[in-house]
Each structure stands twice: as C-alpha cells, then as structure tokens.
Amino acid sequence: MFRNMKHDRCRISVEETGNYLREENWGVLSLHGDDGFPYGVPMNYVWDNGSILLHCASGNSHRLDSLKRSSKVCFTVVPEHKLDRQHWTTVYTSIIIFGTAELITDPTEKQSAMRAFMTALIPEKLEEAIQSCDPGKPGLVMIRIRPLFITGKQN
C-alpha cells in the first residue's frame, strides 16, 4: 500500500524517527482539500504514545471540512534542513507519517490530549493554559492521527 524508499541508504531507524518526533513540535498536515486540491497546513503537534496530537479551533475550518471528506492524512516533519551550495544538494532529515485522523470527542480523552499538548508545548504555563482551554467548549478541537506507516530519511 505504501511505497518503499527509493534510496534505502538514506533511511533512518525507527528509534531515531521516534526521537525526532518527540523532540519536534511543528509539521505540515496534508489533507484532501476543496475541489480535489491537496491542502497542506503547518501546525504545532505533540507525539503522544505513538500518535500525533493536533489542536485547532472549529468554525469555518478548511481542516475540519477536509477531515469530514476523508480521514486519510499525511503529516510531515522536517527537523533539519540546510542548503549545501558547494555540493548542489540539501542536507536534511524528514519524517513522513501516513495515517488516519479522528476528532477526539470524549471529554475525558479530550482533556487528557489537551494536557499532553500543553505540557509539551508550554510547560511553564501549564495550569494557566489548561484553565483557559476548557475541553467542554464547542470551539476547542483536538485531533489524533493514528499512524499506519512512518518513514524517516536523511541526506
């Protein structure tokens, strides 16, 4: 179902991939957008127990409309990149996750996901952030991506 990497020598280990996903907090969520166009949106994320957690607001949301259309997503993280002009290449590390996304609707689970998200991103203001983000608010949306296939690459 998923393609093999063209240059296997560039593959990074599962352990390294997991380390990068835990250390980083920014990636691009790609969805099936409007009128058949792909839609990629940069987002903060948290790697939590083998899943990606995302936070967004509801309302007139391209993201949420796209997720209603299809739960199949791709999430890309590029922890390192640098142009090497001398060798006409880019030195990089990238991780691509193919998976399915779901809205977290259970209030207890939503609270837990929000706590994990805030703990990872703003631990110094955790309690203040948790109090301002009531999981019962209808506008607060938490999304979980369950990976089906993860690949990491370095050049």
Side-chain angles (χ1 to χ4, degrees):
M1 178 160 69
F2 298 102
R3 296 181 182 208
N4 291 325
M5 190 177 295
K6 184 177 177 181
H7 299 290
D8 200 52
R9 63 181 162 69
C10 297
R11 181 184 313 273
I12 61 175
S13 71
V14 171
E15 182 181 331
E16 286 177 289
T17 300
N19 289 339
Y20 280 117
L21 288 170
R22 275 186 290 285
E23 292 168 11
E24 296 301 314
N25 60 25
W26 184 90
V28 176
L29 175 64
S30 298
L31 307 136
H32 182 84
D34 295 343
D35 296 321
F37 282 94
Y39 175 58
V41 59
M43 296 185 72
N44 286 323
Y45 80 92
V46 171
W47 180 248
D48 182 61
N49 294 319
S51 295
I52 295 283
L53 295 177
L54 305 166
H55 166 267
C56 71
S58 64
N60 187 14
S61 173
H62 195 167
R63 259 172 283 217
L64 297 180
D65 290 344
S66 296
L67 282 176
K68 287 177 193 169
R69 192 174 299 114
S70 175
S71 64
K72 293 178 181 176
V73 299
C74 180
F75 193 77
T76 305
V77 177
V78 182
E80 301 175 282
H81 61 92
K82 182 181 178 193
L83 191 58
D84 181 348
R85 296 178 197 279
Q86 182 178 354
H87 296 101
W88 301 7
T89 191
T90 301
V91 178
Y92 66 90
T93 301
S94 65
I95 298 157
I96 299 175
I97 299 169
F98 293 93
T100 56
E102 62 190 13
L103 300 182
I104 300 172
T105 56
D106 176 75
T108 304
E109 202 175 337
K110 199 173 184 183
Q111 174 93 29
S112 177
M114 179 55 76
R115 180 168 283 283
F117 194 83
M118 296 298 187
T119 298
L121 297 180
I122 49 171
E124 67 280 356
K125 296 203 176 214
L126 178 61
E127 290 311 313
E128 182 182 335
I130 293 295
Q131 289 175 6
S132 71
C133 295
D134 177 6
K137 287 182 182 176
L140 177 74
V141 177
M142 292 299 296
I143 300 167
R144 175 184 297 111
I145 298 174
R146 295 187 189 276
L148 298 172
F149 184 76
I150 301 174
T151 185
K153 184 176 179 181
Q154 268 181 338
N155 181 36

